[in-house]
Amino acid sequence: MSFQNAVFIPGPTNMPEKIRQACSMPTIDHRSPIFGEILNPCLDGVRKIIKSEDAHIFIFPSTGTGGWEVALTNTLSAGDKVLAARNGMFSHRWIDMCQRHNLDVQIVETPWGDSLPSDQYEEILKADINHEIQVVLATHNETATGVKSNIHAVRGALDSANHPAMLFVDGVSSIGSMDFQFDNWGVDVAVTGSQKGFMLPAGLAIVGFSDKAMKRKHTAKLPKTFFDIHDMIKGYSSNAFPYTPPVGLMNGLKVSLEMIFEEGLENVFSRHYRIAQGVRLAVDAWGLKLCANSIDVQSDTVSAICTPEGFNATDIVTRAADKYGMAFGVGLGEVSGKVFRIGHLGMLTDAMMLSGLGVAEMVMLDLGLDIKLGSGVAAAQEYYRHGN
Ligand SMILES: *Cc1c(COP(=O)(O)O)cnc(C)c1O
């Protein structure tokens, strides 16, 4: 392995050298004020990234999955009712976690490739006249299918039903790469991790709570120890954690936030859109289709590309790795073998993306698909030449 090629999996992403170096730091006393100089900029920076004035930010040594658990265990009790749609592997896994915590999940089965059905959410919420539903779950960007959902519309469903349920959003593969508006969308808990938009290794669960979600302290009976946000608050009050914090990763997060703000948050979003748009034009030039069922739901961080009937899409990922030393993402769950995924988030440039598209073309031709070398690359090049 030379590690010379960029990776095109939808997380972990490529890492800027500056962030790698920031993660590799000497030991400090994590109970000294020096730690506060890392912790506090991280909390403030994350709040800015999710566009919130006063969300309570928590950083746990974990991953996005741990963030889901932080959200559930600090707000709910066994038997509580949760409303969720299943439109891909990640929404599925969050539902599975709810069930393993003995929550009562009302599942709206949604075609993989569709976005979250806010209309159905609205109907269900309107019918719930006793307000038994405590939480609505929403996966902002379904990484398995490359589908983004309109969280503002999900909030609209809650509001037009005049329903007091909380809104929990999985922003693991969107936050820091696509616009996320915690305050405007009335989000109660937002969840992300370190290895996607923040361009870090895996190892941090990053979570934001609204005041409303914080108030569940006295009613939430689900067991938690490691993930108790109130222990974490006590730690923060003396610039510390309730246990040993992953200082190097958090120092990396501090630098990541600085890099994002230096580029400009909106510029980061438009770079992700531009790179994704080049990929979409390439897919079109190859004569292939995205798993995302309409243009307005196409994700700017990952594209899931359908391969022809009878072809095993996973072969593309295997051959790209074996022959060309390049990583793409396999299809997961229901779309396993039917799609391969190109991750295009985090540290990425137009030039890096062209290398990924070029290799994808060679691989597909090697495997007998009817692809003209250079066709997708040319479509993306033409777009990138004129892009802002
Ligand atoms: C990656 C991802 C997760 C899981 O995060 P881990 O860090 O692997 O635990 C959850 N949701 C979405 C949408 C993701 O993309």
Side-chain angles (χ1 to χ4, degrees), residues 10-12 62-68 89-91 93-94 139-144 170-174 191-196 202-205 301-302 341 345:
S62 185
T63 70
T65 305
W68 287 339
M89 199 61 187
F90 292 93
S91 42
R93 286 189 186 150
W94 205 4
T139 301
H140 184 203
N141 189 71
E142 191 27 277
T143 317
D170 173 344
V172 180
S173 62
S174 60
V191 176
T192 188
S194 48
Q195 80 275 27
K196 307 226 173 144
L204 301 176
T301 59
V302 53
R341 293 176 301 155
L345 75 165

Side-chain angles (χ1 to χ4, degrees), residues 185-258:
W185 298 340
V187 175
D188 290 298
V189 181
V191 176
T192 188
S194 48
Q195 80 275 27
K196 307 226 173 144
F198 291 118
M199 307 173 283
L200 286 157
L204 301 176
I206 301 166
V207 189
F209 272 61
S210 70
D211 287 334
K212 183 172 164 184
M214 293 298 294
K215 289 200 184 106
R216 307 286 292 205
K217 178 179 181 178
H218 302 290
T219 54
K221 296 277 189 305
L222 284 177
K224 65 254 168 211
T225 310
F226 190 77
F227 286 137
D228 193 320
I229 56 171
H230 297 282
D231 290 348
M232 195 53 98
I233 288 173
K234 258 188 238 153
Y236 286 175
S237 66
S238 51
N239 285 332
F241 265 35
Y243 33 73
T244 317
V247 176
L249 272 176
M250 292 180 66
N251 194 46
L253 177 59
K254 180 181 162 205
V255 170
S256 161
L257 290 160
E258 287 165 4

